[in-house]
Amino acid sequence: MTKNAYFSGLTIPVLLLAPQLVITVLFFYWPASQAVWQSFLLQDAFGTSTEFVWFENYRDLFADPGYYKALINTAIFSSFVCVLSLSIALLFAVMADRQIRGAEIYKTLLIWPYAVAPAVAGVLWIFMFDPSLGMLARGLNSLSIAWNPRLNGNDAMTLVILAATWKQISYNFLFFLAGLQSIPKSVIEAAVIDGAKPMRRFWTIIFPLLSPTTFFLLTVNIVYVFFDTFGIIDTISGGGPSGATETLVYKVYSDGKGGSNLGGSAAQSVVLLIMVIGMTAIQFRFIERKVSY
């Protein structure tokens, strides 16, 4: 039974909310406002002079073919990582939810990759698939399969997709497994008594009951592929070869740090922020309607 707390004045509620409000303003709204302000400025290479240029940075950004290439790369990268990480994690969770020998060891091993930092995950995949160092890359070459992510853009994109997917499977697995274990066994048993086969039970009973978990993970995974995969891309390919793996968030970094184009980099940050907020709003507006709570 939930107990409600009532306050006679505003002092205590404000004091209780103050730490969270301060943290939100300091670490989200203030940096975001600085990025918006910076996107209207143009600085020289040494940062000694600043000029207010209105929307010039945005005009240059949308006239840059490299930006549209990064946009396409991001669409391909995010689609594959989201679909693969969610699908594989759901498959593993369904398998782990069964009564099998060594299930706890199986679950523990699946959770480990989540503790690996993105940059370290990138190094691990380089050791496996680097054309000169990687053991698996040597196996591919011995089978006459051309594999060189250093020179081939498709190979490089495949490698960063695999690494980013592997890194996210553990997180998705934990939530899917928790969702599966929260489904009442009586519902499944009733379906078994009615003669429903395993595949029919999954698609008509289990998967609809997992829809809140799936919706939550879809939102989190989109944020992950747009922002948290920077370390993996930087470690494995550095956005190359020839920008084949340069996503929007990596282009923000490369143009701002490598190109010293702080105004253009800030404009990209603002556009990226608007895109992610828009995609999240669309998810809540249209996809959440199909979720059964």
Side-chain angles (χ1 to χ4, degrees):
M1 182 176 180
T2 304
K3 295 182 179 179
N4 296 323
Y6 297 95
F7 301 97
S8 58
L10 291 175
T11 305
I12 295 179
V14 169
L15 289 176
L16 292 174
L17 289 173
Q20 181 61 50
L21 291 175
V22 170
I23 290 173
T24 303
V25 171
L26 276 179
F27 294 101
F28 180 75
Y29 288 109
W30 185 74
S33 64
Q34 289 296 306
V36 174
W37 173 246
Q38 186 74 39
S39 68
F40 295 106
L41 303 178
L42 182 64
Q43 290 184 335
D44 63 19
F46 302 100
T48 56
S49 63
T50 302
E51 180 184 359
F52 189 80
V53 294
W54 290 99
F55 294 95
E56 185 176 325
N57 289 324
Y58 291 94
R59 284 197 298 269
D60 294 342
L61 175 63
F62 291 119
D64 179 15
Y67 185 72
Y68 294 101
K69 183 178 181 180
L71 186 64
I72 295 172
N73 289 341
T74 304
I76 296 171
F77 176 72
S78 58
S79 300
F80 274 101
V81 172
C82 281
V83 171
L84 289 175
S85 62
L86 288 171
S87 303
I88 297 172
L90 179 58
L91 176 63
F92 286 169
V94 171
M95 295 296 108
D97 193 41
R98 294 180 174 181
Q99 298 295 328
I100 57 176
R101 179 181 297 178
E104 296 304 320
I105 298 174
Y106 175 61
K107 296 173 187 176
T108 303
L109 292 176
L110 281 172
I111 295 171
W112 278 6
Y114 185 60
V116 179
V120 177
V123 172
L124 293 175
W125 282 81
I126 288 176
F127 279 130
M128 289 189 293
F129 286 98
D130 185 84
S132 59
L133 300 174
M135 296 176 57
L136 297 180
R138 292 180 183 176
L140 293 175
N141 291 328
S142 66
L143 296 173
S144 302
I145 299 175
W147 171 263
N148 193 342
R150 293 179 182 176
L151 301 177
N152 189 298
N154 293 331
D155 292 349
M157 178 59 81
T158 302
L159 186 55
V160 294
I161 287 174
L162 290 175
T165 301
W166 174 81
K167 180 73 178 65
Q168 189 64 6
I169 284 176
S170 302
Y171 183 88
N172 297 338
F173 168 78
L174 282 173
F175 281 89
F176 275 133
L177 184 62
L180 287 169
Q181 292 180 344
S182 67
I183 296 176
K185 299 300 179 187
S186 58
V187 176
I188 309 298
E189 292 169 356
V192 174
I193 293 173
D194 288 341
K197 300 297 183 184
M199 289 298 292
R200 184 175 177 81
R201 293 200 299 270
F202 177 80
W203 289 113
T204 59
I205 298 175
I206 297 175
F207 192 69
L209 291 175
L210 278 177
S211 57
T213 304
T214 307
F215 177 70
F216 165 75
L217 288 176
L218 179 62
T219 305
V220 171
N221 275 250
I222 287 177
V223 175
Y224 164 73
V225 294
F226 270 79
F227 296 106
D228 293 345
T229 52
F230 170 83
I232 292 175
I233 295 174
D234 188 50
T235 307
I236 292 179
S237 65
S242 302
T245 58
E246 188 177 59
T247 58
L248 290 177
V249 69
Y250 196 84
K251 187 170 176 58
V252 170
Y253 164 78
S254 60
D255 286 0
K257 186 175 186 299
S260 299
N261 184 7
L262 298 181
S265 178
Q268 292 180 46
S269 301
V270 173
V271 173
L272 183 59
L273 179 65
I274 294 173
M275 288 175 59
V276 173
I277 292 175
M279 292 175 64
T280 306
I282 290 172
Q283 289 176 23
F284 277 90
R285 179 70 175 80
F286 297 102
I287 300 178
E288 193 185 23
R289 291 180 176 179
K290 301 180 181 179
V291 176
S292 302
Y293 291 100

